[in-house]
Amino acid sequence: MTIAEAQEQIIRLKREHGICILAHSYQAREIIEVADHTGDSYKLSVAAAGDEKSVAIMCGVRFMAETVKLLSPEKTVYLANADAGCPMADGLSAERLRAAQAKYPGCVTVCYINTTAEVKTLSDVCVTSSSAVKIIRAMPETEILFVPDCNLGAYVAAQVPEKTIRLISGGCPIHAAVSADDVAAARRAHPEALLLVHPECVPDVTSRADYVGSTSGIYDFAVSSEKKEFIIGTEISIAEHLQYARPDKKFYPLTKKLMCHNMKLTTLMDVYNCVLTASCVREADKQITMSPETIMKARRCIDEMIRLGGK
Ligand code: SF4
């Protein structure tokens, strides 16, 4: 089967069986092309909730499929490759979070959306990388335990100095691997380019950037800017997607280290096999399942984010 033939079959099957395909922006082009919705994890969960189809397939990592299920408990949700996990989300267990909460008893817990559903059940407010600063500013509380990404947490703390933000070790190993030396090398190679970076990068990197923002923030900034060259400091796929969106501009990955192998685990044939599974047998063991109690408790921190103005 060729890529084009696989894509044709996926599109036919998803239409015939009422299946919605969600592709995170870090997925490969051939997967993005067959998706109904693309974007970051929260945007995909909201899009799935607003989509009338009763089955959703997430092409991304496990916490993203869980978030789809939290916002659409009535839907059947699959993860296209069941082995695709996120080291940042998986690195924070409920036990570790409980220990941190015991250490900082006066703090409310703010979790990044890149967390398991179990961790969300123990959190007060959820944030995304684009909403974190706004939400934490809007919260009445001044003592905050921010988990699990200490780099995003440090970035937020610098923007909201009036609050005390406690951090624990943890974060995205892909973004955290970028160094100030990588920035210097990219600046030397592309002296005319603006540097746009994700707040999951270390402070040594974010402090040297021309723009710091979420994946969608970086994308929108680069597309709409009058500038013509950009060094992209987030997962390597974004530079590629931007190049398709604006062939008149130039986009350079900040470093080749910015490749998430967990995101790249999902192949087009995984999507094809998942669409086949979803359309024929609806195999229960491949679905994302949670107890009604977990869904109810984990949703509360997302609802609180929405109440505080997060989108
Ligand atoms: S890029 Fe980082 S946060 Fe995103 S899925 Fe990969 S490891 Fe997790």
Side-chain angles (χ1 to χ4, degrees), residues 75-93:
K75 289 188 198 286
T76 304
V77 179
Y78 293 90
L79 180 60
N81 183 321
D83 294 330
C86 166
M88 163 150 56
D90 298 339
L92 179 63
S93 64

Side-chain angles (χ1 to χ4, degrees), residues 35-266:
D36 297 87
H37 306 285
T38 61
D40 57 32
S41 61
Y42 183 61
K43 179 183 169 194
L44 289 176
S45 301
V46 172
D51 195 305
E52 63 187 10
K53 300 178 199 77
S54 62
V55 181
I57 294 177
M58 169 59 79
C59 307
V61 294
R62 182 161 292 271
F63 81 80
M64 298 174 181
E66 287 184 351
T67 310
V68 172
K69 186 72 180 174
L70 293 179
L71 266 59
S72 303
E74 74 291 354
K75 289 188 198 286
T76 304
V77 179
Y78 293 90
L79 180 60
N81 183 321
D83 294 330
C86 166
M88 163 150 56
D90 298 339
L92 179 63
S93 64
E95 290 68 33
R96 239 189 111 215
L97 176 54
R98 281 197 194 93
Q101 288 171 328
K103 186 173 174 192
Y104 302 113
C107 290
V108 293
T109 301
V110 175
C111 72
Y112 191 18
I113 196 158
N114 298 27
T115 44
T116 64
E118 194 181 16
V119 160
K120 288 186 177 76
T121 66
L122 301 170
S123 301
D124 300 297
V125 184
C126 181
V127 294
T128 64
S129 53
S130 53
S131 72
V133 170
K134 179 181 174 187
I135 298 292
I136 289 178
R137 267 200 195 119
M139 290 170 61
E141 296 87 355
T142 56
E143 302 263 324
I144 288 156
L145 170 62
F146 186 94
V147 296
D149 188 340
C150 62
N151 292 317
L152 176 59
Y155 175 74
V156 173
Q159 311 303 309
V160 194
E162 66 274 20
K163 307 225 171 183
T164 302
I165 299 183
R166 310 284 185 188
L167 305 172
I168 60 171
S169 64
C172 168
I174 311 303
H175 287 88
V178 182
S179 67
D181 287 348
D182 293 322
V183 170
R187 291 272 201 203
R188 273 197 304 277
H190 310 293
E192 300 301 317
L194 289 183
L195 173 63
L196 319 181
V197 309
H198 197 283
E200 290 173 12
C201 292
V202 298
D204 251 5
V205 170
T206 52
S207 62
R208 288 169 163 79
D210 298 301
Y211 172 85
V212 180
S214 64
T215 299
S216 51
I218 288 173
Y219 189 96
D220 294 345
F221 183 98
V223 166
S224 59
S225 168
E226 289 178 355
K227 298 283 185 182
K228 295 291 183 195
E229 293 186 49
F230 305 88
I231 300 163
I232 304 299
T234 189
E235 213 274 344
I236 208 159
S237 299
I238 299 303
E240 184 189 3
H241 299 330
L242 278 164
Q243 200 61 75
Y244 279 96
R246 291 298 304 260
D248 56 317
K249 298 186 175 189
K250 288 188 175 159
F251 302 96
Y252 314 107
L254 171 50
T255 155
K256 290 175 188 163
K257 285 185 279 190
L258 275 165
M259 176 168 314
C260 177
H261 297 286
N262 298 278
M263 279 288 187
K264 298 295 185 279
L265 266 188
T266 305

